[in-house]
Every structure is written in structure tokens, then in C-alpha cells.
Amino acid sequence: MSFTKIREVISPEVLKDLYPLSAEATAVKAARDEEMKKIFTGESDKFLVIIGPCSADNETAVLDYIHRLAKVQEKVADKLFVVPRIYTNKPRTTGEGYKGIAHQPNPEQAPNMQEGLIAVRKMHLHALEETHLTAADEMLYPENWPYLDDILSYVAVGARSVEDQQHRLAVSGMDIPAGMKNPTSGDFSVMLNSVTAAQHSHSFLFRQWEVQTTGNPYAHCILRGAVNSHGQSITNYHYEDLVRLLSMYEERPHLKNPAVIVDANHNNSNKKFAEQPRIVSEILHSRKVNPEVAKFVKGVMVESYIEEGSQKIGEHIYGKSITDPCLGWNDTEELLYRIAERV
């Protein structure tokens, strides 16, 4: 019943020295960050689409997918702002199962977080430098943020983490948009409390330092559905849900940049990945019928990969998810063009 030290892992400073961001990539990120922030402030009416695999388990396939996204982004750049999901840490409800490339660079081998951190930075770095698309990742471990703070343009805090103090405080020190998901209970107040905490300044311990943050004015909500006491999925992407959340924002005038992203998968789809285009269509309709909802709903999240569905670890089907099932590329490309036509 104790901790066993396995190895001392590489520091963020050393990892960044080994795999630095080029001057060109740094400029690309700065421009992308500025453009995304304007979406959240309302200065830009582009629609945000955060899209990609449930888990980024294989660099070759992930980069292949993001290259495809980049070609679509070029064609819809006047309407959409596409952010690839490169999710390298996976929360597990029971603690069992594949926890992402940060834990296991090879899903069929034993965990090695030293190699995992290296694999994570290399994948994000290569994606940015090859495609000029900055990515989103889930912040499962707040202490991992310094390994990617010069690369990421978006961070999501998951349903199981959103009530955690350290997650909220870490987001308050980020200079990029960060989405706080509703908890699995579906309680909007918990989510809004998290946004409030993230937007404020705090002093706390972080990686052996006492730090002071400025607050993150781009912290916002993500609706991802919920689970009731019987383990059944409860959706929260409907028009009435969006209006209710908007009214709760209005009751908290201290919050900056009211915004919500709607996750079309997870409990909103009951993990039925093929439902995502239908759900996105309903969200776009809700924006169409109410100008205030249109300004409030900044984008959607979609889980998609090259091959649709999912596979078990060890099946080795190229570009197919080893965690939650995803849309395939053909349906993804069609969905992106349909979104661009309707926003």
C-alpha cells in the first residue's frame, strides 16, 4: 500500500529543448490563437469545429487524418475554424483500459510515461508543423500542461475532472480557450462554477512552485450529455437546453464571453457515433431560429477518424479507433461541408 518510484520523467524544459517549435510554427500558432479568441469574444462569426479521433493512438494515422482535415479547412476557411482533436490522455470510468498515448506509446506494451510524454509532444509538433493546424487535447493531468503550452490552441476539461480544484485553477493560468464539460450528473451549475473559477485569478501550488494566475476570460461550457441514476444517457443539446444555459449565464454577469460548445457524441449520442451528423444538424437549426443562441453556441465537437466504428487493441485496422467508435472519413468530410453551408 505505497507508491513505488519507477523513473524520474523528463522535465517540460528539457523536452521542449529536444523538440522545439520552429519560428514558422510559433507564428502559425499565434495567428490561430488570435483567430480562435475572436470567435469567443464575438469579433468573428466563424463556427468552431473540434473534430478528430476519440484517442490519438497512432501518429501515422492521426497525421494522415489531420492532413485530410487541412485540405477541407482550406476550402471552408471563410465559414469554419477547424481544430483537430489530438487527445493523448483518456479518462477511464473504472480506471481500467487504455489511458492514451501519454501512458502507453504502444497500446500493446506496458505503460511508460517517460516515452509517452515524448510521443505526445512529437505528435502535436509534427501535426502543427506539417498541416498548420493547431490542436485540442484533453487536460486529464494539469501537471502535463507545461509540456504542450507552446503548441495547443484549445484544452477540454472532462466531465470527471470539472469539479476538481486543481483542474479549475490550472485553466485560470492558460492563455487559450478552455472548455469545461458538464459533469456526468448533468448539473449546469457545477459546470458554470467551474467556468467562474477558471476565469478568476488564483494563487496555488503547481509543479513545486507557488504560482499566481491572471484568470482565463476564454473559459467556457461544453455540453456533452449526462447519465441518470439508472445509468441511462440524458441529452442536453436541444434548443431548450441551450436557452436554459444561456439564461443561467445571464444570471452571472461577472462571466466574460458567454459561450458553449456542444459535444455531439458521448452521452448526447448515447455513444452511437452515427447520430453525430443528426445532432449537429439540430444544433445548427437551433442557432438559425434564435439570434441569441446563434451568438452563444460557438461550435461543436465531433469524434471521427479514417475508418468508422472502433476496434479492439491488437486488431491493427489502420485509422480505426481503439476507444469509442467514431465517424469514418467520408461521412466526416460530408459533415464539414454541410456545416459550412448552414452557418
Side-chain angles (χ1 to χ4, degrees):
M1 300 293 293
S2 63
F3 289 90
T4 300
K5 292 182 178 178
I6 299 171
R7 63 181 67 86
E8 185 176 359
V9 299
I10 194 169
S11 71
E13 294 77 16
V14 170
L15 186 57
K16 288 175 178 176
D17 284 343
L18 288 172
Y19 301 99
L21 208 58
S22 68
E24 180 185 14
T26 299
V28 168
K29 174 177 156 50
R32 290 262 300 174
D33 287 355
E34 187 63 25
E35 189 172 1
M36 194 191 300
K37 288 175 183 177
K38 287 180 178 178
I39 294 172
F40 283 96
T41 62
E43 297 172 71
S44 168
D45 60 1
K46 288 187 181 181
F47 194 68
L48 187 62
V49 182
I50 302 168
I51 189 166
C54 175
S55 57
D57 61 287
N58 178 285
E59 181 175 314
T60 301
V62 168
L63 291 182
D64 180 351
Y65 174 88
I66 298 174
H67 274 282
R68 300 181 191 203
L69 272 187
K71 292 177 182 178
V72 177
Q73 170 69 99
E74 288 180 9
K75 297 176 183 178
V76 297
D78 60 328
K79 297 290 187 69
L80 304 185
F81 189 85
V82 178
V83 178
R85 284 172 53 110
I86 305 181
Y87 278 31
T88 57
N89 305 273
K90 295 302 299 178
R92 313 307 302 190
T93 303
T94 65
E96 296 296 320
Y98 177 65
K99 297 183 179 69
I101 197 170
H103 279 262
Q104 290 173 272
N106 184 329
E108 297 177 56
Q109 294 179 2
N112 186 324
M113 295 199 75
Q114 166 81 355
E115 294 302 318
L117 289 168
I118 295 171
V120 165
R121 181 160 178 92
K122 287 172 67 177
M123 186 189 299
H124 275 286
L125 187 68
H126 294 157
L128 170 54
E129 294 194 330
E130 291 181 21
T131 70
H132 286 187
L133 294 183
T134 48
D137 202 345
E138 179 167 356
M139 189 179 69
L140 186 57
Y141 307 112
E143 60 269 29
N144 284 3
W145 165 244
Y147 290 99
L148 294 172
D149 60 4
D150 59 335
I151 295 179
L152 289 178
S153 278
Y154 187 93
V155 163
V157 175
R160 299 167 189 84
S161 302
V162 74
E163 296 185 68
D164 177 68
Q165 182 84 337
Q166 192 74 354
H167 283 80
R168 295 174 171 191
L169 301 189
V171 169
S172 76
M174 296 180 180
D175 59 356
I176 59 172
M180 318 300 277
K181 289 195 173 187
N182 63 261
T184 54
S185 68
D187 190 328
F188 282 12
S189 294
V190 169
M191 175 174 57
L192 285 164
N193 287 342
S194 187
V195 173
T196 299
Q199 289 198 0
H200 280 78
S201 170
H202 300 280
S203 297
F204 59 103
L205 292 176
F206 187 72
R207 296 190 63 92
Q208 299 181 315
W209 285 89
E210 180 182 354
V211 298
Q212 175 80 45
T213 61
T214 58
N216 184 346
Y218 308 105
H220 59 275
C221 292
I222 301 174
L223 294 178
R224 49 86 73 199
V227 182
N228 67 17
S229 59
H230 302 289
Q232 300 165 322
S233 288
I234 305 169
T235 59
N236 59 18
Y237 62 86
H238 300 296
Y239 179 80
E240 294 78 9
D241 300 303
L242 302 175
V243 170
R244 179 163 70 92
L245 180 59
L246 177 56
S247 69
M248 292 177 73
Y249 255 106
E250 290 170 347
E251 293 169 0
R252 300 179 182 224
H254 59 278
L255 288 177
K256 301 179 179 71
N257 304 316
V260 65
I261 302 292
V262 184
D263 183 342
N265 211 17
H266 296 95
N267 290 116
N268 269 333
S269 70
N270 196 22
K271 295 194 176 181
K272 296 178 180 178
F273 70 92
E275 292 291 301
Q276 292 180 101
R278 178 191 63 77
I279 292 167
V280 170
S281 180
E282 181 174 330
I283 295 160
L284 295 176
H285 178 71
S286 295
R287 294 178 84 247
K288 196 76 172 177
V289 300
N290 187 328
E292 293 305 311
V293 170
K295 287 190 289 186
F296 181 52
V297 180
K298 302 297 186 180
V300 291
M301 285 184 164
V302 176
E303 290 194 319
S304 116
Y305 210 176
I306 296 170
E307 299 295 332
E308 73 170 25
S310 62
Q311 63 180 322
K312 294 179 180 178
I313 292 174
E315 292 186 13
H316 302 296
I317 300 172
Y318 179 78
K320 194 169 188 176
S321 175
I322 62 170
T323 45
D324 288 351
C326 299
L327 282 181
W329 175 253
N330 290 340
D331 289 334
T332 297
E333 187 174 22
E334 181 181 342
L335 175 61
L336 287 167
Y337 289 132
R338 279 211 309 270
I339 295 172
E341 289 172 0
R342 295 184 59 184
V343 296

